[in-house]
Amino acid sequence: MEGHAFGCLSLVAKASGRPREAVAAAQGAQSAARTYGSARMLALMAMREAGGWALLGDASATDRAIVRAHHLYAQGPAEADPDWLTFFTPAELAGLEALARADLDQHERAAAGAEQAVLLHGDQFARNRALYLGDVAIQHAVRTRPEPEAAAEAAHRVLSYLPDVRSDRLLRQLHNVAGALQRHTAVPAVADWLDAYRTTTASS
């Protein structure tokens, strides 16, 4: 419970733009759960620590935390794993790393990781698949050498989840993709997607 509580505090701190608190809380979670017997729980908290470091712009510390998370995750499940940890699948591991890469402006790696998360989710968790596809789209749109066609293709796939998937976060992602692609309207795939986006969101 103590480790879970620290983990929740880390999430709230990161969402509130307080990365140092996010790192400290994630480290507190790992300290509390170190002898609990759940490597998967420690892996999740290491990945949350990575998210805090990424928001701080510390690539080295982020990489160390990500490597530790993958090493712990590879140890496999254990009887001590709490029931609430079932969401932490390989897809989620890849997705959380992709989010950290995005905060470090490592857009190519972030797009690849988010695409991996979508593939690993398979037919499950439609909301998560939609959100990670949104991440793929925005990373292709804002990378150093933008790939507007790849961004539009991923964003088209996101639209297929509406209106069944209702998420303010997803709508914000699509709004950000639309803004990033405005300067690429000469690309036919982008123009088609922008028309589809306006039509879909207007009718939602």
Side-chain angles (χ1 to χ4, degrees):
M1 288 297 293
E2 184 181 2
H4 192 189
F6 271 118
C8 291
L9 287 173
S10 180
L11 276 179
V12 171
K14 184 175 184 292
S16 303
R18 303 193 305 274
R20 293 190 185 281
E21 291 181 30
V23 169
Q27 290 174 339
Q30 292 168 77
S31 178
R34 198 168 305 282
T35 59
Y36 181 64
S38 172
R40 289 281 169 93
M41 185 175 177
L42 288 172
L44 175 61
M45 299 312 167
M47 196 58 81
R48 288 186 178 165
E49 180 186 341
W53 286 123
L55 203 58
L56 279 167
D58 191 329
S60 295
T62 302
D63 284 341
R64 288 194 296 272
I66 287 174
V67 168
R68 188 164 68 254
H70 279 280
H71 175 74
L72 287 162
Y73 197 91
Q75 294 182 31
E79 289 187 10
D81 293 343
D83 291 340
W84 57 264
L85 200 63
T86 54
F87 81 96
F88 191 42
T89 61
E92 193 65 18
L93 180 70
L96 291 175
E97 178 176 350
L99 293 175
R101 299 295 179 195
D103 282 335
L104 289 171
D105 293 331
Q106 297 175 356
H107 302 298
E108 292 85 352
R109 296 180 72 176
E115 187 69 66
Q116 182 185 20
V118 174
L119 292 173
L120 289 173
H121 271 305
D123 295 329
Q124 296 181 313
F125 306 110
R127 180 179 180 275
N128 286 2
R129 294 201 312 274
L131 288 169
Y132 284 127
L133 275 173
D135 289 333
V136 172
I138 192 65
Q139 297 308 317
H140 281 311
V142 303
R143 58 193 294 176
T144 304
R145 294 183 178 179
E147 294 192 0
E149 289 187 343
E153 190 274 334
H156 261 301
R157 291 158 67 192
V158 177
L159 291 182
S160 69
Y161 287 91
L162 300 177
D164 295 333
V165 173
R166 298 182 179 276
S167 166
D168 289 340
R169 178 181 162 192
L170 186 61
L171 292 176
R172 286 196 300 272
Q173 280 185 325
L174 289 171
H175 176 77
N176 291 338
V177 172
L181 289 179
Q182 283 297 329
R183 57 197 176 105
H184 300 289
T185 53
V187 178
V190 171
D192 289 346
W193 180 77
L194 287 170
D195 285 341
Y197 165 68
R198 296 186 189 104
T199 301
T200 302
T201 53
S203 61
S204 301

